[in-house]
Amino acid sequence: MITRRALAATGGLALAGAGVAFAQQHSAGAAITAVDVHPSDYPTVEAVRWMGEEVSRETGGRINFRLYPSGQLGSETDTVNLARFQVLDIARVYLGAVNNMFPATQPLALPYVFRDEAHMRSVCDGAIGREILAAFERRGLIGLAFYDSGMRSIYNARGPIHTPDDMRGLKVRVPRADIFMEMLDAMGANSTPIPFGEVFTGLQTHLIDAAENNWATFQSTRQYEVARYWSQTDHCCAPEALLMSKARYDALSRADQDLFRAKATESVAIMRGLWDAKQAAARQTVLDAGVNYNEADKDAFRRAVEPMKRRWLANENIANTIRRIDAHA
Ligand code: BDP
């Protein structure tokens, strides 16, 4: 539910006029508002849609989800805060958007932490994942689930990247988050934080030379039409976070709370099925469209980020979580 008062309580947030118009349209009701920066057919959005349909069915239509995909309600950092203040109810965001506010999430976003996607899934499903999700409660959110985001690699408009030396002077767009900026700088680039929605134009107008992301995003944003070189670095395998306003959650009956949690957990398997299909299809679409692909020297990139990683691991909590992730089968 979104009220004018709740919007006012978030004063200081860069809320576009869209947010106010949105508040006027949706002032009451049992609708659960859920936001995502991705388009309607992206796996994260589809999974939340599935969760909403399940909740609606189980409650006999008493609770319904209303989805706002494509970043209609602002940047991911904004929507996290809007959820904390119960201006909106569910936000699906990448981990960088919550890294500073929730330090427990930092280990998952560091470079070369997971051996592969199966390792990431297993860590998120286990005790480590549950503990990190629980940490969101300290600041007004409920961590409902982790979703997949694949492995991030580099793509650019100039030529193939093999080693960090090939990154020199390259302006690489990164999301606005400390770990991502430091990571790309350590990999040899000039990290350039710009909002997600501006990456395509940034590449097209040569404001930036490169960006980094997963196959699904590279394809769905059509960035592959303007960045014709994909170099597989697999430098980051941070999962996505599905977060709910704690105030909104606390206002639900105990039975509804259990239903939300159960359906969010079930939606992870739905998301993973969609993700595997989307990732494979996106890769094929991009390669069929003539994008040049090369395997980068991952060991060279691993070495390049070591000093940066060591700095983060000076924090005992982070070091401890990384040790547990390494030991996790
Ligand atoms: C995508 C994430 C999305 C981020 C985006 C980014 O799914 O949440 O906003 O990367 O790079 O993979 O900003």
Side-chain angles (χ1 to χ4, degrees):
M1 192 204 320
I2 294 182
T3 63
R4 268 176 171 284
R5 221 169 119 221
L7 261 177
T10 64
L13 288 174
L15 276 177
V20 177
F22 176 82
Q24 286 162 347
Q25 279 165 31
H26 306 284
S27 53
I32 294 290
T33 52
V35 303
D36 199 309
V37 292
H38 288 300
S40 189
D41 62 350
Y42 198 86
T44 48
V45 182
E46 294 272 28
V48 172
R49 179 175 295 118
W50 178 88
M51 177 182 165
E53 284 164 4
E54 288 288 300
V55 167
S56 175
R57 191 172 52 77
E58 294 276 337
T59 61
R62 183 168 45 80
I63 303 178
N64 299 295
F65 280 29
R66 192 174 281 138
L67 269 44
Y68 291 86
S70 306
Q72 291 172 54
L73 294 187
S75 77
E76 294 182 290
T77 315
D78 283 349
T79 58
V80 167
N81 283 311
L82 293 171
R84 289 179 60 221
F85 289 99
Q86 211 194 333
V87 180
L88 53 82
D89 303 315
I90 291 183
R92 198 290 311 159
V93 296
Y94 83 108
L95 276 197
V98 288
N99 275 171
N100 287 355
M101 201 181 295
F102 300 94
T105 62
Q106 289 165 356
L108 304 185
L110 286 170
Y112 298 113
V113 161
F114 298 105
R115 290 188 284 276
D116 49 31
E117 291 171 61
H119 184 212
M120 183 277 293
R121 286 177 172 179
S122 168
V123 166
C124 288
D125 289 347
I128 303 171
R130 281 194 296 277
E131 286 165 31
I132 297 174
L133 285 178
F136 284 105
E137 294 193 29
R138 289 188 209 126
R139 286 178 172 224
L141 293 170
I142 298 289
L144 286 177
F146 285 119
Y147 282 166
D148 276 36
S149 195
M151 293 265 185
R152 291 173 84 106
S153 283
I154 305 281
Y155 43 90
N156 83 99
R158 287 202 201 158
I161 306 283
H162 298 286
T163 67
D165 281 343
D166 299 329
M167 302 270 277
R168 302 269 167 246
L170 213 64
K171 278 168 84 179
V172 181
R173 178 271 171 177
V174 287
R176 186 176 291 285
D178 295 344
I179 288 183
F180 283 82
M181 289 189 262
E182 287 182 31
M183 175 159 45
L184 270 295
D185 286 339
M187 287 167 73
N190 293 341
S191 68
T192 311
I194 62 172
F196 183 56
E198 291 167 28
V199 184
F200 180 90
T201 315
L203 287 165
Q204 198 179 35
T205 59
H206 304 292
L207 173 71
I208 46 171
D209 309 301
E212 50 81 57
N213 221 309
N214 53 46
W215 288 110
T217 295
F218 185 46
Q219 183 265 324
S220 76
T221 54
R222 309 182 78 94
Q223 288 169 27
Y224 69 96
E225 292 175 6
V226 281
R228 306 293 290 162
Y229 295 87
W230 172 281
S231 303
Q232 192 88 20
T233 50
D234 287 341
H235 54 272
C236 178
C237 191
E240 315 273 16
L242 185 65
L243 305 172
M244 179 165 183
S245 157
K246 184 169 185 305
R248 180 65 153 131
Y249 177 87
D250 289 344
L252 294 174
S253 70
R254 187 58 207 266
D256 286 345
Q257 290 178 351
D258 291 347
L259 178 66
F260 270 63
R261 285 204 186 260
K263 291 302 169 189
T265 304
E266 283 177 44
S267 78
V268 173
I270 301 288
M271 196 280 169
R272 287 179 183 169
L274 295 167
W275 179 258
D276 289 341
K278 171 74 181 176
Q279 188 164 235
R283 185 177 189 280
Q284 200 53 52
T285 302
V286 163
L287 296 179
D288 287 350
V291 163
N292 302 280
Y293 169 92
N294 76 283
E295 281 280 342
D297 179 350
K298 285 183 210 161
D299 285 338
F301 280 102
R302 260 194 208 99
R303 283 195 298 276
V305 297
E306 265 318 306
M308 169 261 173
K309 248 175 119 172
R310 262 201 305 280
R311 277 199 303 282
W312 285 85
L313 265 64
N315 175 318
E316 195 36 51
N317 291 332
I318 297 183
N320 186 37
T321 306
I322 296 288
R323 272 194 295 273
R324 290 172 67 202
I325 292 176
D326 284 346
H328 187 96

